[in-house]
Amino acid sequence: MRIFSPKFRQYVRKKKRQSHRISHKSVEFTCLLIGAALVALVSFGFAQLANWGLALNHSWVAKYPRAVWVVLPIGLAILAWFTRKYAPFVSGSGIPQVIASINLPHGPYKGYLVRFWQTLWKIPLTFLAMIIGGSVGREGPSVQVGAAVMLAWGNFCRRHGLAFSGLTANELIATGAAGGLAAAFNAPLAGVMFAIEELGRGVALRWERKILLGVLACGFILIAIAGNNPYFPHYHGAVDVPYFILWVAGCGVICGVLGGLFAKLLAKGVVALSPARIRGWLRRHPVMVAFGLGLLLAAIGTVAQGQTYGTGYGVVAQALDGNSVAENLGIWKLLATVGTYWSGVAGGIFTPCLTTGAGIGMQIWSLTGGIIDQRLLVLICMAAFLAGATQSPVTASVVVMEMTGSQPVLFWMLLCSIGASIISRQFNPKPFYHFAAGRFRQRVQELAKEESELKNNNEAQQKA
């Protein structure tokens, strides 16, 4: 005799299945939070190391200012040699490598540019570039490292059947990369905007709730660790002035032109801009090129009173507080960042772009005779120049807003950034990060083709 009816047994089986699904979702969400915590912890450790590197640079430059003429060229040459020989895919910002990885077809080389152990070289190499005085930031490197951490964690979970069976490699990479930016800037919303506007440009990404939760979790976990402290001092300047739309238009035009030229210089490279008769020699001697660029950086740093070294965080803080900075700092910082990038060492351009924008704002303010709040122009130009350099106006505006606590000025920053981005396209039609990503993608595809041909030749020889 059956104790329970068929309907009751069917009901029990249904509840068991639902319970299993709930349990699986809980495990997957837990794994997502663990991955976000790993990205946040690595970003936090990287930030502390970068701050130490900047402090060391400031200390030795203050004591031995003439030593930059030796340390910068020799140090840049050594870093360029080491990067080319042992870690060629961690050179530059790191954001192009992530974009290239997302755009690569699925296969054995999909995560080649964000391999965990290779990408970890980004941290010490960027740290050393900061110590010697290169004009670099840690935010772009944090993006590549975050992508590598989340992809490695996701692959581990999938191999052991824990979670992420429904997420592709692209979604794991995007989650880690945007989470790395959110943690680096202590700005969760900026990480989401970066993922949507920059990483999702030109490629199909499923913006599932898991991805956005992962990005936000990275930022909030970092806030829980380090506190809810803006990256830069809180903005306390004016929020509106008479005829401000005219100031916004002027800043947008200037920052758009300079941002477009900046991106074009980065994309072209030192070889393409050199006379044709010496291009061959420059290609054959990249270490000597890095040495020469080091001398150029030493000269720029000397003229700019040392304010072009490193990220420029202190310079931006001074400008936002209403204090003065070196004359023509915006142009000097622009040139120093281009020279550092051309050398091929690891290091980002995000924060140096903000410093360049702050310097441009200071220069515009000095030309006005002080009739407008200096801090307001600095803030607007920070967002506008970053937008002109990256052609990502929403990300630039939200990043600056979250870093400075300047919500009342967000509308004006967004308006100025959109204008700067449009003008920048007239000089550099393709966004710089995506242009550079195309080069990395081509290098990986060529490498895959060479290894495939070598494998086929070996198989043919064995059969013969």
Side-chain angles (χ1 to χ4, degrees), residues 82-244:
F82 185 92
T83 303
R84 289 178 63 89
K85 186 172 180 63
Y86 297 106
F89 293 113
V90 303
S91 63
S93 165
I95 295 177
Q97 289 91 319
V98 171
I99 295 173
S101 297
I102 292 174
N103 283 273
L104 281 168
H106 289 277
Y109 288 89
K110 177 67 178 175
Y112 196 83
L113 293 170
V114 287
R115 291 177 298 167
F116 181 73
W117 294 112
Q118 172 194 256
T119 305
L120 283 186
W121 276 114
K122 197 89 176 182
I123 296 175
L125 290 175
T126 303
F127 170 68
L128 292 173
M130 289 179 174
I131 290 178
I132 66 173
S135 179
V136 296
R138 60 172 172 83
E139 291 71 28
S142 294
V143 169
Q144 187 180 7
V145 172
V149 169
M150 184 62 81
L151 182 62
W153 171 245
N155 289 338
F156 173 84
C157 290
R158 287 195 289 200
R159 279 197 306 270
H160 293 82
L162 296 174
F164 305 136
S165 58
L167 288 181
T168 65
N170 275 357
E171 288 152 354
L172 288 169
I173 291 170
T175 303
L181 184 82
F185 279 127
N186 205 357
L189 183 57
V192 173
M193 292 297 102
F194 173 76
I196 295 173
E197 186 178 32
E198 191 65 66
L199 300 182
R201 183 183 295 176
V203 66
L205 277 174
R206 294 182 304 165
W207 295 112
E208 292 189 1
R209 184 174 56 182
K210 298 174 191 174
I211 297 177
L212 300 181
L213 283 175
V215 176
L216 291 171
C218 290
F220 289 133
I221 289 172
L222 195 281
I223 289 174
I225 296 171
N228 189 17
N229 302 311
Y231 193 82
F232 292 119
H234 269 288
Y235 176 70
H236 296 294
V239 297
D240 199 4
V241 296
Y243 307 108
F244 191 42

Side-chain angles (χ1 to χ4, degrees), residues 235-304:
Y235 176 70
H236 296 294
V239 297
D240 199 4
V241 296
Y243 307 108
F244 191 42
I245 186 66
L246 299 178
W247 293 103
V248 168
C251 291
V253 170
I254 294 171
C255 291
V257 171
L258 293 176
L261 292 174
F262 173 76
K264 192 175 186 66
L265 287 172
L266 294 181
K268 286 288 186 180
V270 65
V271 175
L273 295 174
S274 300
R277 62 180 180 275
I278 64 171
R279 289 177 186 171
W281 185 91
L282 293 176
R283 290 192 183 97
R284 293 191 301 270
H285 300 86
V287 176
M288 293 301 299
V289 172
F291 183 90
L293 290 170
L295 291 174
L296 175 64
L297 294 182
I300 293 173
T302 301
V303 173

Side-chain angles (χ1 to χ4, degrees), residues 146 366 382 398 424:
S366 67
M382 283 171 63
V398 174
S424 171

Side-chain angles (χ1 to χ4, degrees), residues 371-391:
I371 63 175
I372 187 174
D373 192 334
Q374 164 193 316
R375 296 166 294 181
L376 186 57
L377 289 181
V378 167
L379 189 73
I380 294 293
C381 288
M382 283 171 63
F385 183 81
L386 180 60
T390 63
Q391 294 180 21

